Amino acid sequence: MEQFFKMAERGSSITQEIRSGFTTFLAMAYIIAVNPALMLAAGIPITAAVTATCIGSGVVTILMGLYANRPIALATGLGINAVVAFTLPTITGNDWHASMSIIFIEGVAILLLVLCGLREAIMNAIPISLRHAISVGLGLFIAFIGLHNGSIIVTNPATFVALNKVTDPAFIVGVVSIAATVALYSFRIKGALLCGIFISVLVGIPLGVTPLPQGVVAPLDFSSFGAPFLTDEAGVMGIVKTLTTPICLVFAFSLLMSDFFDTMGTVTAVAKPGEFLNEDGSVQNIREILTVDSAAAALGGLAGCSSITSFIEAASGAADGARTGLSAITTGVLFILAAIFAPLIAVVSSASTAGALVLVGFMMMSEAVEIDWNNVQDAFPAFCVIIGVPLTYSISNGIGFGFIAYCFIALITGKAKIIKPLMWVAAAAFVVYFVLM
């Protein structure tokens, strides 16, 4: 096992990897409840959606651990699953088989881009300043998600966001989660993030935030597997309907852009605390990571659970000591077990994970000092990324803002030659993407 995972070489151990795998899983576990609810809106039976979400996420996360040997966990991506639930049905005639076919086609296309080297080449063409900015933007994004999960900040029609009432039980659990995690981390307690989650789960019981389990096991339902090749009431396969409907292919392109660059940011965010980010901002084993991530998108459509992608919450496991693929395998196994024991996993409220996410966001802010804020060519595009990611609640949007701004400033200042050709291609693709949104 040591020879395969290289734990000692990376300063880790079996215990550390398994523990951090639990941390990652608990930080991601909310998707087991959230995604099936959205897939139900798309027309997929809830039991089938739970099975597909857990099994699909578990299998590809284990594959990431085995093939890339990095602590990156995957699950159905938020954002795209909302598109599947509320947008795609209007163009597919409420045929969820066709909706999953769009996801499947997008995943196959993005996998082909990886295999021909284009996705990796675009990542390598990104200026160093933007790579640092992506880390900072992702840090703010992760912290924002954590604060929202903890009900510390809430929506407000007048000010967009606001501080929640301090008497709200979820607010109290969120604050306890953050305080416990930071305190344990300050004393260099191993497993600080995982312990913070468990402490807040216990605090949430008398406050009514931690729900009591509604059972122990749940039935498995594989009826959504093979969705693109299943037929509707007229006997037409979903993938046939998608390939013969131009608007479906347009949506596939839009989702491809979102998946393409969301993963770019997420992988960078996990690589920083996971210590596989090079000094120039490039990610080690990026080819293997992108291959699995791209295949996961297609497998998500095939399983009927929406696109599966690298999850930003995996950064919490990396911050808790994950350094190898063993951590990812642990998370993957837990996802598969969750398909059976879903009622027990449901007791971990989103508020309980606030501390882990906020602490990871804090740790990623250190990248800001690597940006030359006196050079507008580097600084303004970096600024666009940093504010764009959290304020639009989209990794790909923020990266798109930065790409376009970088090319624009270089063009108007007569420095167009500093832009690598693939940056021009990516910026142009983002312009098309924003127009089609």
Side-chain angles (χ1 to χ4, degrees):
M1 184 177 288
E2 169 59 38
Q3 186 175 2
F4 182 84
F5 290 110
K6 303 176 181 178
M7 287 176 286
E9 179 182 321
R10 298 179 184 178
S12 186
S13 64
I14 293 177
T15 302
Q16 182 171 311
E17 293 299 307
I18 293 176
R19 184 196 67 228
S20 57
F22 270 87
T23 300
T24 297
F25 172 73
L26 292 177
M28 297 171 63
Y30 68 88
I31 201 65
I32 298 172
V34 173
N35 192 63
L38 288 170
M39 293 303 98
L40 179 63
I44 301 175
I46 190 72
T47 54
V50 171
T51 300
T53 298
C54 294
I55 299 297
S57 301
V59 168
V60 296
T61 300
I62 291 172
L63 181 60
M64 179 68 80
L66 292 173
Y67 185 61
N69 194 21
R70 293 298 178 183
I72 296 176
L74 303 91
T76 47
L78 288 173
I80 289 182
N81 56 8
V83 173
V84 170
F86 304 115
T87 303
L88 294 189
T90 62
I91 66 171
T92 61
N94 293 312
D95 181 5
W96 60 269
H97 308 98
S99 296
M100 288 302 147
S101 297
I102 293 175
I103 299 298
F104 177 72
I105 291 171
E106 173 261 322
V108 171
I110 206 168
L111 177 59
L112 292 175
L113 292 178
V114 171
L115 295 178
C116 72
L118 181 60
R119 198 177 187 189
E120 181 181 355
I122 289 178
M123 284 195 70
N124 292 333
I126 301 175
I128 294 177
S129 59
L130 289 186
R131 296 180 189 180
H132 292 307
I134 290 171
S135 291
V136 178
L138 266 291
L140 291 174
F141 188 44
I142 294 172
F144 183 82
I145 293 173
L147 292 172
H148 183 267
N149 285 353
S151 293
I152 295 170
I153 56 173
V154 293
T155 57
N156 184 292
T159 60
F160 305 115
V161 294
L163 182 69
N164 193 13
K165 293 181 179 179
V166 297
T167 54
D168 186 321
F171 178 97
I172 296 172
V173 172
V175 170
V176 168
S177 177
I178 295 172
T181 303
V182 171
L184 293 168
Y185 182 79
S186 299
F187 286 104
R188 302 184 183 278
I189 302 297
K190 291 184 177 181
L193 282 76
L194 182 61
C195 291
I197 293 173
F198 279 127
I199 289 172
S200 52
V201 166
L202 294 175
V203 170
I205 295 175
L207 294 173
V209 176
T210 300
L212 295 177
Q214 300 301 308
V216 178
V217 298
L220 298 180
D221 181 353
F222 295 94
S223 61
S224 68
F225 281 63
F229 303 99
L230 299 178
T231 59
D232 60 12
E233 295 178 355
V236 180
M237 284 197 301
I239 195 164
V240 173
K241 181 182 291 186
T242 298
L243 292 173
T244 55
T245 308
I247 187 64
C248 290
L249 298 178
V250 171
F251 268 91
F253 169 76
S254 296
L255 295 177
L256 182 149
M257 286 290 293
S258 179
D259 251 356
F260 194 106
F261 291 100
D262 274 8
T263 297
M264 183 182 298
T266 299
V267 170
T268 302
V270 179
K272 175 64 176 177
E275 298 181 358
F276 55 101
L277 190 70
N278 296 319
E279 291 185 3
D280 64 354
S282 61
V283 178
Q284 298 171 23
N285 299 109
I286 189 62
R287 172 65 67 89
E288 293 84 353
I289 292 170
L290 293 179
T291 299
V292 176
D293 179 88
S294 302
L299 289 173
L302 194 62
C305 63
S306 185
S307 177
I308 299 176
T309 187
S310 298
F311 240 58
I312 198 169
E313 282 82 356
S316 62
D320 203 29
R323 295 294 180 270
T324 76
L326 182 58
S327 174
I329 292 172
T330 301
T331 302
V333 170
L334 291 172
F335 262 114
I336 293 175
L337 291 176
I340 303 172
F341 301 103
L344 292 179
I345 303 301
V347 304
V348 181
S349 67
S350 59
S352 302
T353 66
L357 299 180
V358 170
L359 184 64
V360 171
F362 154 74
M363 294 169 66
M364 293 177 66
M365 292 302 295
S366 62
E367 290 291 296
V369 300
E370 303 295 335
I371 301 169
D372 183 0
W373 294 103
N374 295 314
N375 179 1
V376 69
Q377 176 65 64
D378 289 335
F380 186 77
F383 171 73
C384 289
V385 172
I386 291 170
I387 65 168
V389 171
L391 294 186
T392 66
Y393 209 81
S394 169
I395 300 171
S396 56
N397 285 350
I399 292 175
F401 294 163
F403 277 27
I404 294 171
Y406 195 88
C407 292
F408 172 74
I409 293 174
L411 185 63
I412 64 173
T413 57
K415 300 177 181 178
K417 291 183 179 180
I418 70 171
I419 307 294
K420 295 182 179 180
L422 284 178
M423 271 293 289
W424 288 111
V425 173
F430 266 116
V431 171
V432 174
Y433 167 69
F434 288 135
V435 170
L436 294 176
M437 284 180 65

